Amino acid sequence: MPKVQVLSKETAELIAAGEVIERPGSIVKELVENSIDSGATSITVEIKRGGISYLRVTDNGCGIDYEDVPTAFLRHATSKIHDKDDLNSIMTLGFRGEALASICAVAKVDVLTKTAGDEYGTHYAIEGGEEKEYDRTGCPDGTTIIIRDVFFNVPARLKFLKKDVSEGNAVASIIDKIALSHPEIAFKFIRDNKQEFITAGDGELYSSVYSVMGKQFAASMIPVNYELNGIRIDGFTVKPLFGRPNRTMQHFFINGRYVKSQTCTYSLEHAYRNSIMEGKFPSCVLRMTIPPSIMDVNVHPAKIEVRFTDEKIIADSIYFAVKNAILLDTAPAEITVKQPKADYRKPLPEQQPVYSQDSFSASANAPVVCETRPVFREEMPVQSVALKQVVSQTYVRHTSSYPKVENIVNVPYDIPQKTDGEEPIEQLKPAENVQFKYISGNSFEKKKEVPKEQPKEIYFRVIGEAFKNYIIAEVENDLVFVDKHAAHERILFEKLKSGQQKLVCQLLLQPADVLLDYGEFSALIQNADFVRELGFEFEISGASDVEVKGIPSILDGCDPKDLIIELAKNICENKANPMPEILDDMYHTFACKAAIKANDITSLRELSEIVKIILTDERIRYCPHGRPVMFRLTKREMEKQFKRVL
C-alpha cells in the first residue's frame, strides 16, 4: 500500500481553490459580492478575453485597512462572522473567507484599496499565493482588484476553459443576476473595451430589468407584490402570452442572493397552470425576503443552492404571489398593425382595371365592371340574417372602468321593420330570460366591491363575427377581438372548478366496452367513487375491461371510450396525489369538448353573452391551453393606418 502523506500547502490550496474558482465567472461573483457587502453604491466590472487575461472590479465601498489587507488573503479569514452562532443569522453574501485566498492561489492579483479615514491607500500584489508587493499608495476611497492570467500556474485547469466568448458570456450572466438583485447599486459592465450595460442605481427594480434584460423583456412583465407567513415576495413575472421555450429566464433571489431551487421553480410554473401555452415556461425576476433561521445557504461551495426548513411555506408564498399577479393583469393584449415593407425583388402583380367616378360618366358606352349579388338572403342561415340586421342597434351598457365590469345591463334597441320579400324577424327579448344552447344567462358569483368613486358609463357593442369564430366588439375607443371557442372553453372551465356547472350523468343508449391496461384499470377501480362524481357510470366487465354506461351530460356526443381512457390515464399518472391534478386535467378536457367550436352557428345573443362574461370576470383572459382569449385594437392605431393621425 502506498505511504500516506500530508499534501504540501501549495497543493492543498490549489485543490481548495478548485472548489470555489471554476472559471473567471466564479472570480467575478466572489469579488462583486464582497463589494456589495462593503456597502458600495457603484460597482464597475471590466473583462478582456472572457476574463482569462484581465479582470477588474472597482467599487466605492468601505475599503480595507492597511494592516488588514494581507490577512484578507489568508484562508478562512473573514469579517462577516465571529463564532458558530453567527451561522444561524447570515445576511451577507460572502462569509466563509475562502474567496480571496482561492483567487490569489490561481491568478496574479493586484489590490488598490483605501478607507475613508486614511490619508493614503494600500497597494498589495500577490501571485500564486506568494506576496510580491505591499506598500502605501494614492487611490480613491473604495477597492479595486485586478486579476490577470487566471490559472497561469494550473495548466490542467486552463486547458479546460472554454473559448473567450463563452467565458465572457458566463461572466455577463453572473453580472446580470447580481445587478437585478441589487437595483440600489449602479452597475457598469465593460467587455473588451465596450460597455455592455449600465444600471441607474435608483432602487427601482424595473429600471434594472429594463437596463439588463432590455425593453422588450421589461414590457412583457407584470408586477408582483405579496407577503405571506412573514415571507415577502416582490418583483416581476411574465405575462402568460410571452412564455419562453425554456427556463433560462427564471431568476430567484433570496435576501439579495441569486439561488437555484426546485421548490421555487415548481411553485412558479404551478401558478401558471392553465394560463400558459403547453411547452412554454414562465420568466420572472422575483426577490424573496426570508428570515435566515428557516434556510441554510452553506450547502454549496458557491452558495448558489439553499435548503429550507419548511419548503411548503416557500412554495405557497411564491404560488399565491404569482397567481395573484396573473389574475390582476386583466388588460387584453393590444394589436399593433405594421405596414408591410415593399419587396422590390418580387415581380409586380397583374394590374387590375380601376374605375374612377369620372370614367363611369365619360362615355355611355364605356364598359362597367360591377357585380352585385345578395349574400345574406340565400347563402346565410335565417339566424345570421337577423344578426346582420340588428347588429348596429344592439348595445350593452355597464358601469366600470374598462375592462373590469361590475354591472352590465342591456340598453333597449329598435327592431328592424319587415321589408317586402323578407321573412319576419322574431322580436328579440332581454338576454336574461333566454336559454341558449351554449351559454346560460348566469355569470359567475363575485364578491361585491364598493367603488371608491362613481365610474363613468361606457358601452360595448357586438359588431359581428369574423370567420365564424372571432367575435368583434366595440368597447369605448377599442375594437376587441374575441376567440369564441377559447373564451367559452375558459368560461366552462372556471364554472366547473367553482362548482357552478354541475356534472350530471347521462346514461347511454348503448353501453361502450373499453379495454384498459392493468395499471390504468387498477387506478380506475381504486378511484371509482371519484370517477362517478365526475359524471361517469361504469361497471367491471372483465379482467381489465369496463363497460361505460353513462358520461357527463355536457359531453353529449363525445366518444365515451376516449373519455374513460383519458381519465384512467390521468389517474394512473398522478397516483401520489391524484385529486388536484386530475380535476384540472378533466375539467380542462370537459371544457374543451363542450365549448363552442369554430364554424358553429352562434346567435348574436350568445356572442353578446360571451363578451359580457369576459368583461365581467377578470379570470377569462387565457384559455386552459394558455392561448389568449382576446386582443384589442385601439382607435388611434386604426386612424394611423388611414393616415388620419401621424
Side-chain angles (χ1 to χ4, degrees):
M1 178 178 176
K3 184 177 178 60
V4 178
Q5 60 183 359
V6 179
L7 293 175
S8 65
K9 177 182 177 183
E10 180 183 5
T11 305
E13 287 182 349
L14 289 176
I15 294 173
E19 297 178 358
V20 179
I21 307 302
E22 300 176 353
R23 58 198 311 181
S26 304
I27 298 177
V28 171
K29 177 180 180 296
E30 299 293 345
L31 294 183
V32 173
E33 287 181 349
N34 282 343
S35 295
I36 295 171
D37 288 339
S38 72
T41 59
S42 177
I43 300 175
T44 299
V45 178
E46 181 180 3
I47 63 171
K48 294 179 181 178
R49 287 193 56 217
I52 300 172
S53 64
Y54 181 85
L55 190 156
R56 174 175 67 90
V57 177
T58 301
D59 66 62
N60 63 348
C62 64
I64 307 174
D65 292 328
Y66 174 79
E67 59 273 11
D68 289 340
V69 173
T71 308
F73 286 87
L74 298 178
R75 188 162 301 280
H76 302 307
T78 178
S79 63
K80 313 296 177 57
I81 58 177
H82 299 87
D83 53 48
K84 63 179 183 180
D85 294 333
D86 292 338
L87 293 174
N88 296 325
S89 57
I90 295 172
M91 294 299 291
T92 56
L93 299 177
F95 57 89
R96 293 195 301 206
E98 294 178 288
L100 294 179
S102 298
I103 293 170
C104 72
V106 296
K108 300 175 182 178
V109 182
D110 276 284
V111 181
L112 292 171
T113 182
K114 177 181 175 294
T115 61
D118 288 344
E119 184 177 359
Y120 296 99
T122 304
H123 177 215
Y124 187 73
I126 183 170
E127 296 180 5
E130 295 184 5
E131 182 180 306
K132 298 296 182 180
E133 185 175 350
Y134 178 37
D135 200 2
R136 289 285 192 176
T137 188
C139 62
D141 293 347
T143 303
T144 296
I145 299 182
I146 299 175
I147 311 294
R148 294 184 177 91
D149 302 331
V150 178
F151 296 133
F152 77 99
N153 55 350
V154 194
R157 297 288 302 276
L158 182 62
K159 70 178 182 179
F160 281 101
L161 291 179
K162 298 181 180 179
K163 294 181 179 180
D164 295 351
V165 174
S166 299
E167 294 298 336
N169 290 339
V171 173
S173 177
I174 290 172
I175 297 300
D176 288 352
K177 295 176 176 63
I178 296 177
L180 291 173
S181 64
H182 293 276
E184 73 281 1
I185 300 176
F187 284 89
K188 181 188 292 185
F189 179 46
I190 303 171
R191 181 173 176 178
D192 294 326
N193 299 319
K194 294 181 181 179
Q195 181 175 290
E196 291 276 312
F197 70 81
I198 182 170
T199 63
D202 56 0
E204 296 292 335
L205 179 58
Y206 187 83
S207 299
S208 296
V209 172
Y210 190 99
S211 300
V212 175
M213 313 302 294
K215 176 182 177 181
Q216 186 175 3
F217 183 88
S220 68
M221 307 302 280
I222 52 180
V224 177
N225 195 346
Y226 194 80
E227 186 171 356
L228 180 67
N229 297 327
I231 299 173
R232 176 146 189 93
I233 299 178
D234 69 313
F236 296 91
T237 190
V238 75
K239 297 179 181 178
L241 185 62
F242 297 95
R244 295 176 60 85
N246 52 49
R247 297 183 174 93
T248 56
M249 291 298 179
Q250 295 181 0
H251 304 304
F252 299 97
F253 304 95
I254 297 180
N255 297 342
R257 184 194 308 276
Y258 173 76
V259 299
K260 291 183 179 179
S261 169
Q262 291 292 337
T263 301
C264 297
T265 299
Y266 174 79
S267 301
L268 172 72
E269 295 178 3
H270 189 58
Y272 278 86
R273 185 177 176 83
N274 299 315
S275 295
I276 198 169
M277 289 282 289
E278 295 181 3
K280 298 291 185 179
F281 300 94
S283 306
C284 71
V285 179
L286 293 179
R287 302 184 300 181
M288 291 170 276
T289 304
I290 299 176
S293 58
I294 67 172
M295 67 175 183
D296 183 5
V297 298
N298 199 24
V299 297
H300 189 275
K303 301 182 290 292
I304 200 171
E305 297 177 5
V306 294
R307 183 184 298 141
F308 304 106
T309 57
D310 190 345
E311 293 191 351
K312 187 177 186 305
I313 296 178
I314 307 298
D316 288 347
S317 301
I318 295 175
Y319 174 82
F320 289 114
V322 174
K323 196 69 174 179
N324 284 346
I326 297 173
L327 294 176
L328 290 175
D329 179 45
T330 59
E334 182 175 335
I335 302 174
T336 302
V337 181
K338 296 182 179 179
Q339 292 287 357
K341 294 182 179 180
D343 189 350
Y344 298 103
R345 297 171 297 178
K346 294 182 179 179
L348 291 173
E350 287 188 26
Q351 297 295 323
Q352 299 294 333
V354 179
Y355 300 99
S356 64
Q357 185 176 0
D358 295 336
S359 66
F360 286 106
S361 58
S363 172
N365 298 324
V368 177
V369 180
C370 180
E371 180 182 2
T372 304
R373 63 188 184 92
V375 177
F376 305 113
R377 289 289 302 278
E378 290 80 14
E379 299 179 347
M380 297 293 290
V382 175
Q383 189 178 27
S384 296
V385 178
L387 186 152
K388 290 290 179 180
Q389 292 179 344
V390 302
V391 68
S392 61
Q393 287 84 16
T394 304
Y395 289 86
V396 180
R397 180 179 66 186
H398 60 82
T399 54
S400 180
S401 56
Y402 173 68
K404 182 180 178 181
V405 181
E406 296 294 346
N407 183 27
I408 299 182
V409 295
N410 287 332
V411 174
Y413 43 78
D414 298 328
I415 303 300
Q417 300 297 322
K418 173 186 174 184
T419 58
D420 294 338
E422 292 185 351
E423 294 296 326
I425 301 172
E426 182 182 357
Q427 185 174 355
L428 299 179
K429 298 178 181 179
E432 288 76 1
N433 299 329
V434 179
Q435 294 295 327
F436 303 119
K437 176 181 178 182
Y438 299 107
I439 305 291
S440 70
N442 299 323
S443 57
F444 303 134
E445 295 180 4
K446 298 186 65 179
K447 294 182 179 179
K448 299 295 182 180
E449 298 180 2
V450 180
K452 296 182 180 179
E453 58 183 8
Q454 185 65 25
K456 64 178 181 179
E457 290 188 351
I458 59 175
Y459 299 85
F460 84 80
R461 177 170 66 94
V462 175
I463 297 174
E465 184 180 7
F467 312 117
K468 296 185 179 180
N469 189 45
Y470 303 104
I471 308 170
I472 304 175
E474 179 183 341
V475 183
E476 284 193 320
N477 287 326
D478 296 344
L479 278 183
V480 176
F481 299 83
V482 179
D483 185 331
K484 69 179 183 182
H485 170 72
H488 191 211
E489 183 180 356
R490 186 71 191 200
I491 290 170
L492 289 178
F493 180 78
E494 293 297 340
K495 284 188 174 183
L496 288 168
K497 287 185 66 176
S498 63
Q500 296 183 47
Q501 180 73 51
K502 301 300 182 183
L503 291 173
V504 180
C505 180
Q506 176 176 301
L507 297 179
L508 301 174
L509 293 176
Q510 181 65 38
D513 290 326
V514 183
L515 176 65
L516 303 172
D517 67 32
Y518 288 104
E520 294 173 345
F521 177 80
S522 176
L524 189 70
I525 299 305
Q526 291 177 7
N527 294 273
D529 293 339
F530 166 70
V531 173
R532 290 187 172 91
E533 289 178 4
L534 290 177
F536 290 91
E537 185 62 39
F538 69 94
E539 290 183 358
I540 300 174
S541 59
S544 62
D545 297 352
V546 295
E547 186 179 56
V548 183
K549 294 187 174 183
I551 61 174
S553 58
I554 65 170
L555 300 180
D556 184 25
C558 298
D559 188 347
K561 294 183 179 180
D562 292 342
L563 294 174
I564 205 69
I565 290 174
E566 183 171 356
L567 176 59
K569 178 183 177 182
N570 288 339
I571 296 175
C572 190
E573 290 178 351
N574 297 278
K575 291 180 179 179
N577 185 20
M579 293 306 173
E581 302 292 339
I582 295 176
L583 279 174
D584 273 357
D585 288 341
M586 292 312 301
Y587 289 160
H588 182 182
T589 300
F590 294 170
C592 185
K593 293 181 181 297
I596 300 172
K597 305 298 189 296
N599 297 320
D600 283 351
I601 302 300
T602 314
S603 70
L604 176 62
R605 286 237 178 81
E606 291 174 294
L607 300 180
S608 298
E609 186 72 14
I610 291 176
V611 175
K612 183 176 73 172
I613 294 177
I614 290 176
L615 294 177
T616 304
D617 196 323
E618 297 174 352
R619 295 172 295 180
I620 315 300
R621 292 296 175 264
Y622 301 92
C623 80
H625 297 91
R627 293 192 300 267
V629 164
M630 65 176 172
F631 288 96
R632 68 184 179 95
L633 177 63
T634 64
K635 179 182 178 182
R636 180 175 178 80
E637 186 63 39
M638 291 188 64
E639 290 176 339
K640 286 169 61 177
Q641 301 304 312
F642 289 104
K643 308 302 180 185
R644 289 182 175 270
V645 297
L646 298 178

